[in-house]
Amino acid sequence: QQQVKQSPQSLIVQKGGISIINCAYENTAFDYFPWYQQFPGKGPALLIAIRPDVSEKKEGRFTISFNKSAKQFSLHIMDSQPGDSATYFCAASVYQAGTALIFGKGTTLSVSS
Amino acid sequence: DGGITQSPKYLFRKEGQNVTLSCEQNLNHDAMYWYRQDPGQGLRLIYYSQIVNDFQKGDIAEGYSVSREKKESFPLTVTSAQKNPTAFYLCASSIGGGLRTDTQYFGPGTRLTVL
């Protein structure tokens, strides 16, 4: 119930293409869904986050799509660039309870030029 | 410069030794967290603290200990009881206050290798 399942484990995309990473959760109490980006040897950094009151949130080339009934959310990276090559983690938590985040296992994205 | 610092960046330890990883933040955040990262495993929560002098076990607390005597510091001790301590350790902090989940800001990490 506490798990967040992330797929795929790795992804190779051509420059200019769309990268799509998916996550699924079981705990219906989760209501905060952030995505973190991590470059090798560095700590993760918040990329974008969504609450379930909206089905989509866009920031630049990054979009989160959220499907509450399916308990799934995904990250879309439009016009993928080599600089986007990193590991991406989805996460979930109960926003009001001050609980720690539950992270997916990560997706390593490589954007080929 | 505001942020989270972790030291050292690389740490080597002999089997059977305890070792303490440092985490300091000057963001005035109430909440601090320790995660362990292994290839293909994502980030797993070891311990977290919402306020000074209080902390809770995460999913993989066995073999680890923490203290939170000061708001800005949350050191992690990896004890000899930890069966497989070689990993990348990440410290994070958030505004906290126990009322809501805030953005977590991560430090640069410490890579611990047991020889």
Side-chain angles (χ1 to χ4, degrees), chain A residues 17-82:
Chain A
I18 302 173
S19 304
I20 302 174
I21 304 170
N22 300 299
C23 285
Y25 63 97
E26 290 294 324
N27 188 345
T28 54
F30 286 154
D31 59 357
Y32 174 65
F33 305 94
W35 285 88
Y36 280 78
Q37 179 188 54
Q38 183 182 31
F39 294 103
K42 305 292 185 183
L46 179 68
L47 188 63
I48 186 171
I50 197 169
R51 300 288 311 281
D53 50 342
V54 295
S55 60
E56 187 175 282
K57 182 174 181 179
K58 184 176 181 180
E59 290 185 4
R61 296 184 294 109
F62 300 90
T63 300
I64 298 180
S65 297
F66 180 75
N67 185 329
K68 188 174 181 179
S69 60
K71 291 184 285 186
Q72 295 176 348
F73 58 109
S74 60
L75 176 69
H76 292 65
I77 306 174
M78 312 300 288
D79 186 27
S80 299
Q81 298 297 313

Side-chain angles (χ1 to χ4, degrees), chain B residues 49-62:
Chain B
S49 168
Q50 294 287 5
I51 56 173
V52 174
N53 292 321
D54 189 37
F55 47 83
Q56 288 79 41
K57 293 182 179 180
D59 299 321
I60 56 166
E62 185 175 350

